[in-house]
Amino acid sequence: MSDSPHADGTSATLSSVGRQLVLWSAFLGWMFAGVEMQLVPLATRSAITSFVADGTLAIPAAVAQKEVIGKWFVHYIAAFLLGAALGGLVFGWLGDRSGRTKAMGLSILWYSLFTGLGYWATDANQLLVLRFVACMGIGGMWPNGVALVAEAWPDVSRPALAGLIGAAANVGITVLGVISRLHPLTADSWRWLMLVCATPALLGLFVLWWVPESPRWLAGRTSHGNGARAVPAAEVFRPPLLRLTLFGIVLGTIPLLGAWGASKWYVLWADRIGAELGQLNLKSDAQIVWGVGASIGSLAGGWLASRLGRRASYFLVSLGSVLISAYLFRASTPGYNFPFMAAVFLLGLIPTVYFGWLPFYLPELFPTRVRATGAGVAFNFGRIISAAVTLSSFVFLALYQGREKEIGAGGSMV
């Protein structure tokens, strides 16, 4: 088959060049999505502080600024999760309906351009809306990238491919940590990062023009006639696929809930304590340490699933994640000390095994005709549940504010 995205799908394989284009475009697309994901933990404190300083965000006299920052942090996390969930449904459906490559390219363009618009946000609410819309593209990138790679490389070790794709976002998070280390984010200089995060739009255009389509998707379209196939998203919500969809949602919810409902608070925590101690690079350095551990962990996800089995590996990662999170937030204190940095590294290493495990397992639950839709639903419905739980953290913020010594080091998170 030709490497052109307009090939007729009569061949079941791609050329070597075509397969490399698919793999590295998906890797880069998900890597830049990782950069986008980490914008919220990294930039929230600086952005909200700037909105307070210029008078567009008022703080009631009885409310501490750190409480306001914590509140908006929760809002931005929820916007990311809900936007990504909606994008997973919309772009996942588009991937099954019109092609993986087209949906992936549009997803990259979407998250890049709407993030770039954040440069001109004039208040916290505008930035909130833009984050919700931009994160739709992040949600659409994952199912289409995973499905495209799995279908373009059917004869290559699936654990290795799953680990590579799973690691991509964590490489992006590490890259963002390095960038913010070299050019620290402050209340006076955080907007430039929005423009930097708009540059992957060039990758989106490249994908649309040059990356070949999935041969399996093209073959399926041909078998149903030369016209585009009808792929109702509702198919994954009715028997016989309903049971698999619900199972996938549960598997996807657990790591997302742990990551965005709890562990990501370490960045905001390190940001505040670092500012108090005059260690302005602490949040960036902590993110780099986390990202290195996360890149290793996600690379190992598919391998562990194949070596230990799906169930055993998932259970062990879950147990390890609970233990290291409890230690980090209860027994360590942010700073350039070994206990904190080692805990942050392990927080990256252990829980992110999930994100090499999920690309290995979720696509195999669904047939080719609804693979992007099914994987997108399974992964992104977890984000909806995680958003609901994250929003409930307002209760805990109000309950524990000002009582840090009673709840341990973790009480300093905001």
Side-chain angles (χ1 to χ4, degrees):
M1 187 179 79
S2 167
D3 286 337
S4 167
H6 304 293
D8 62 11
T10 57
S11 173
T13 62
L14 294 173
S15 72
S16 175
V17 172
R19 290 176 8 138
Q20 291 291 334
L21 283 174
V22 164
L23 178 61
W24 294 112
S25 295
F27 180 89
L28 290 173
W30 193 229
M31 184 191 79
F32 288 123
V35 172
E36 302 276 346
M37 290 181 214
Q38 201 65 6
L39 270 179
V40 167
L42 195 65
T44 292
R45 192 171 187 275
S46 298
I48 296 304
T49 301
S50 74
F51 292 139
V52 171
D54 63 22
T56 60
L57 181 61
I59 300 180
V63 178
Q65 181 166 316
K66 66 177 183 179
E67 187 175 348
V68 173
I69 292 172
K71 169 187 170 183
W72 280 99
F73 179 79
V74 170
H75 279 153
Y76 289 139
I77 291 291
F80 157 69
L81 292 168
L82 294 173
L86 178 60
L89 293 174
V90 172
F91 287 101
W93 170 84
L94 181 65
D96 286 328
R97 178 69 173 77
S98 301
R100 320 295 197 211
T101 299
K102 180 182 292 185
M104 186 173 79
L106 290 175
S107 296
I108 296 169
L109 278 172
W110 190 279
Y111 70 61
S112 301
L113 297 178
F114 280 102
T115 296
L117 289 176
Y119 179 88
W120 291 279
T122 59
D123 59 48
N125 284 305
Q126 284 186 14
L127 189 60
L128 180 70
V129 172
L130 287 171
R131 292 314 299 152
F132 173 84
V133 177
C135 290
M136 290 177 61
I138 296 175
M141 173 63 221
W142 193 87
N144 287 292
V146 168
L148 182 60
V149 170
E151 293 165 6
W153 292 78
D155 56 343
V156 174
S157 169
R158 290 185 59 246
L161 287 177
L164 184 64
I165 297 302
N170 297 312
V171 172
I173 290 171
T174 307
V175 168
L176 185 61
V178 172
I179 292 173
S180 64
R181 179 69 166 78
L182 297 173
H183 302 282
L185 298 180
T186 68
D188 297 322
S189 63
W190 58 271
R191 295 179 183 273
W192 61 268
L193 191 58
M194 301 295 171
L195 295 182
V196 170
C197 291
T199 57
L202 298 174
L203 174 64
L205 294 173
F206 177 84
V207 169
L208 290 174
W209 283 100
W210 294 104
V211 176
E213 186 52 83
S214 161
R216 291 191 181 184
W217 181 85
L218 288 169
R221 183 185 65 172
T222 302
S223 68
H224 286 75
N226 290 327
R229 299 177 301 166
V231 184
E235 184 176 352
V236 300
F237 290 108
R238 59 175 181 250
L241 295 180
L242 176 61
R243 179 179 63 85
L244 298 176
T245 301
L246 294 176
F247 183 58
I249 289 172
V250 172
L251 294 177
T253 297
I254 292 172
L256 287 166
L257 182 58
W260 295 103
S263 66
K264 291 296 183 182
W265 285 85
Y266 83 89
V267 181
L268 198 61
W269 187 22
D271 190 5
R272 187 175 77 84
I273 299 301
E276 293 175 359
L277 298 177
Q279 300 172 349
L280 300 183
N281 288 320
L282 180 59
K283 67 176 179 181
S284 300
D285 291 339
Q287 181 172 310
I288 292 170
V289 170
W290 182 94
V292 172
S295 298
I296 298 170
S298 49
L299 272 173
W303 178 82
L304 284 175
S306 64
R307 295 284 292 183
L308 302 180
R310 276 70 156 172
R311 294 180 181 180
S313 56
Y314 196 91
F315 170 77
L316 291 174
V317 173
S318 300
L319 178 62
S321 299
V322 170
L323 294 177
I324 190 58
S325 296
Y327 173 80
L328 174 66
F329 292 115
R330 297 287 299 181
S332 70
T333 302
Y336 289 101
N337 59 79
F338 180 78
F340 177 72
M341 287 299 185
V344 168
F345 175 81
L346 291 175
L347 186 70
L349 180 69
I350 298 172
T352 53
V353 171
Y354 283 125
F355 299 101
W357 190 98
L358 289 169
F360 175 74
Y361 186 72
L362 287 184
E364 69 185 19
L365 289 176
F366 302 96
T368 301
R369 69 181 182 278
V370 292
R371 181 162 291 151
T373 300
V377 166
F379 193 69
N380 288 297
F381 257 68
R383 287 183 165 131
I384 297 175
I385 299 170
S386 299
V389 175
T390 299
L391 287 171
S392 72
S393 63
F394 284 128
V395 177
F396 297 100
L397 288 174
L399 180 63
Y400 291 128
Q401 192 67 39
R403 296 169 56 193
E404 295 168 0
K405 291 184 179 179
E406 295 184 26
I407 62 172
S412 302
M413 286 189 291
V414 297

